[in-house]
């Protein structure tokens, strides 16, 4: 009997796993906030005997060193990964016992990184699951360009070889359990489904259906932007991240909020984009707690800049803290909850800007206004509004001066990034209208959409999250237990 429990980190688009038997278990690629993993292990009634890393992560801070310290587990890290903390180096073919009849075997699968290692869970000697990290994903592979530009093509070819090795060595019914592929920019595309096996990947994954030169050319041509904060994750993980502090931040009153804004610090409003547009503190920025908070805030904020959080509730602040420590933004300078009327000094009042749709833009007409497209290059290449200006949202803060004069109608693919961009522009004194609409509605509204190049979710970064949905449930899901439970 064995089990595999999945911890979904939806904000970052990753998964971690707890796998084991009746008495003990192994944790694969843990997030920095380890309390949820400990809770799942407690519910299972198992001891965590091993913590394993498939690679040094570029998109989040690992909880591996802390989890190993707290539980006394052995911390397995690929031998080729240069780290400065105590660990058990793992090489190709190494095996460790997990529980009665269960063992974990290391399989070298370079490509996402040179040292990348997958782990095959075997029950009574038979492979039952493969934890593939950033190697073989659901319908795609991990991107090969995050380590060193000069190694990108070599690593892309290694990804192809590693995928073929896994396919050759494992039975078709082996579950493939990757870390990346669910919205993370460490994946070369969005996952092609929710679950998979070796047999399914043989039929649908380009790494296993295309010859190497074709695969590499298409993979490299489709690589998307790299979040700026990634440059800080590798060193943090190599050095051994410090424990997290999730205690509530100090309460910031209206005067302190005003002072922090005056000092050039970031004041981030976590409320919905609808609520923010209707009223907010002048100079604050809107990063919805229900959106890709950690990815986009960490991508855009000058690294190390103090951040103060404004939220509708203490629970919203706590959830944001948890998201942010995963990408190395450890302690907010302060926080305030409630409504914007209480966040402005006496005598002041909240400010607002209008929202609209593509139909509203078509009715108004594009003459005399600036239509600003803040999607990524790959999205714009598939079609854009004629005459629009293009500045990806992650570059906007440093390029505000390039936005032409006039009222700015700002749009993205679904509304989330447009809200971020509108808040930056409004804070800079610009007149803005946030287009809160799906981009598919632009042509239907009568706007002229130019450009071609349909998305290719099997290869490029175009399969990544495009903020089309307005999700309200952002709880990290630990209820995906028994995905594999025999």
């Amino acid at each position: 009997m064995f089990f595999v429990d999945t911890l979904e980190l939806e904000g970052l688009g990753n998964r971690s796993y707890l796998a084991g038997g009746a008495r003990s278990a192994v944790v694969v690629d843990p997030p920095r906030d380890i309390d949820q993993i400990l809770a799942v292990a407690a519910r299972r009634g198992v001891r965590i005997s091993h913590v394993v890393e498939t690679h040094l992560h570029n998109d989040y801070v690992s909880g591996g060193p802390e989890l190993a310290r707290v539980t006394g587990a052995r911390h397995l890290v690929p031998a080729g990964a240069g780290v400065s903390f105590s660990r058990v180096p793992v090489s190709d073919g190494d095996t460790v016992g997990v529980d009665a009849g269960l063992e974990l075997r290391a399989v070298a699968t370079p490509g996402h990184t040179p040292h990348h290692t997958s782990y095959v869970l075997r029950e009574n000697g038979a492979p039952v699951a493969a934890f593939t990290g950033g190697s073989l994903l659901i319908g795609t592979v991990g991107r090969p360009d995050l380590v060193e530009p000069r190694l990108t093509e070599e690593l892309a070819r290694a990804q192809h070889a590693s995928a073929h090795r896994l396919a050759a060595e494992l039975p078709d019914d082996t579950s493939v359990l990757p870390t990346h592929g669910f919205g993370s920019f460490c994946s070369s595309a969005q996952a092609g489904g929710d679950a998979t096996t070796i047999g399914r990947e043989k039929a649908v994954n380009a790494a296993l259906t295309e010859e190497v030169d074709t695969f590499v050319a298409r993979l490299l041509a489709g690589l998307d932007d790299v979040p700026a904060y990634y440059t800080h994750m590798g060193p943090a993980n190599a050095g051994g991240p410090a424990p997290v502090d999730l205690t509530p931040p100090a309460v910031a009153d209206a005067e302190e909020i005003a002072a922090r804004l005056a000092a050039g610090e970031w004041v981030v409003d976590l409320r919905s984009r609808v609520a923010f547009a209707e009223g907010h503190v002048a100079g604050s920025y809107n990063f919805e707690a229900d959106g890709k908070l950690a990815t986009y805030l960490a991508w855009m904020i000058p690294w190390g800049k103090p951040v103060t959080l404004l939220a509708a509730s203490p629970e919203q602040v706590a959830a944001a803290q948890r998201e942010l420590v995963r990408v190395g933004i450890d302690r907010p300078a302060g926080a305030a909850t409630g409504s914007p009327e209480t966040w402005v000094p006496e005598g002041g009042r909240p400010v607002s800007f209008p929202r609209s749709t593509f139909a509203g833009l078509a009715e108004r007409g594009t003459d005399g206004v600036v239509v600003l497209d803040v999607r990524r290059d790959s999205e714009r290449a598939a079609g854009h509004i004629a005459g629009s200006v293009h500045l990806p949202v992650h570059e906007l803060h440093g390029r505000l001066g390039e936005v032409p004069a006039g009222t700015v109608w700002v749009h993205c693919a679904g509304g989330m990034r447009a809200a971020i961009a509108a808040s930056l522009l409004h804070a800079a004194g610009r007149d803005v209208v946030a287009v809160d609409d799906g981009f598919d509605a632009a042509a239907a509204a009568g706007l002229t959409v130019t450009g071609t190049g349909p998305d290719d979710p099997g290869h490029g970064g175009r399969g990544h999250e495009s903020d089309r949905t307005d999700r309200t449930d952002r709880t990290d899901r630990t209820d995906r237990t028994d995905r594999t439970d025999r």
Side-chain angles (χ1 to χ4, degrees), residues 249-276:
V251 175
D253 60 18
E255 286 69 29
E256 181 178 346
I257 292 170
R260 291 193 176 280
L261 283 167
E265 298 180 11
W266 278 38
V267 174
V268 172
D269 192 325
L270 301 169
R271 297 174 303 142
S272 75
R273 55 186 181 256
V274 175
F276 183 87

Side-chain angles (χ1 to χ4, degrees), residues 204-227:
V204 303
N205 197 307
L208 297 171
T209 61
E210 294 180 349
E211 58 87 23
V212 62
D213 289 336
T214 300
F215 168 78
V216 169
R218 286 164 59 88
L219 177 65
L220 299 186
L223 292 174
D224 214 330
D225 298 318
V226 178

Side-chain angles (χ1 to χ4, degrees), residues 149-160:
R150 291 171 295 183
L151 296 178
T152 297
E153 182 174 347
E154 175 185 335
L155 290 176
R157 292 181 179 277
Q159 279 289 52
H160 189 271

Side-chain angles (χ1 to χ4, degrees), residues 126-169:
V128 291
F131 300 100
T132 54
S135 183
L136 185 66
L137 310 185
I138 302 179
T140 185
V141 295
R143 60 193 297 172
D145 61 325
L146 301 178
V147 176
E148 159 61 53
R150 291 171 295 183
L151 296 178
T152 297
E153 182 174 347
E154 175 185 335
L155 290 176
R157 292 181 179 277
Q159 279 289 52
H160 189 271
S162 292
H164 278 263
R165 179 183 181 187
L166 290 171
E169 294 186 3

Side-chain angles (χ1 to χ4, degrees), residues 19 46 67 71 84 109 146 151 174 178 185 263 265 284-285 340 405 413 428 465 471:
V46 295
L67 184 58
T71 62
S84 58
T109 49
L146 301 178
L151 296 178
T174 306
F185 281 81
E265 298 180 11
S284 62
Y285 302 145
E465 169 274 336
R471 292 174 295 173

Side-chain angles (χ1 to χ4, degrees), residues 58-59 170 173 234 315 412 469:
N58 283 288
D59 61 334
L170 299 176
D173 62 352
E315 291 77 17
C412 56
T469 57

Side-chain angles (χ1 to χ4, degrees), residues 257-351:
I257 292 170
R260 291 193 176 280
L261 283 167
E265 298 180 11
W266 278 38
V267 174
V268 172
D269 192 325
L270 301 169
R271 297 174 303 142
S272 75
R273 55 186 181 256
V274 175
F276 183 87
E278 290 176 348
H280 58 272
V281 177
S284 62
Y285 302 145
N286 183 214
F287 289 80
E288 290 181 302
D290 291 343
K292 303 282 285 186
L293 170 66
T295 295
Y296 281 100
L297 180 56
W299 195 338
M300 295 172 65
I301 191 171
W303 199 250
K305 177 81 72 173
V307 59
T308 297
L309 302 177
L310 307 180
S313 67
E315 291 77 17
Q316 198 171 61
V317 172
Q321 279 186 266
R322 185 176 292 276
E323 288 268 330
L324 295 177
V325 297
R326 293 170 180 165
V327 292
I329 301 177
D330 281 10
R331 292 293 297 167
T337 59
S339 64
E341 289 77 15
T342 65
W343 301 334
V344 295
E346 187 175 352
R349 63 179 185 177
V351 296

Side-chain angles (χ1 to χ4, degrees), residues 447-478:
L447 295 166
T448 302
V449 175
T450 65
T452 57
D455 290 357
D456 184 0
H459 291 280
R462 296 168 188 159
H464 285 292
E465 169 274 336
S466 60
D467 79 4
R468 291 181 182 274
T469 57
D470 191 6
R471 292 174 295 173
T472 56
D473 181 9
R474 292 281 296 106
T475 307
D476 288 321
R477 296 185 295 177
T478 57

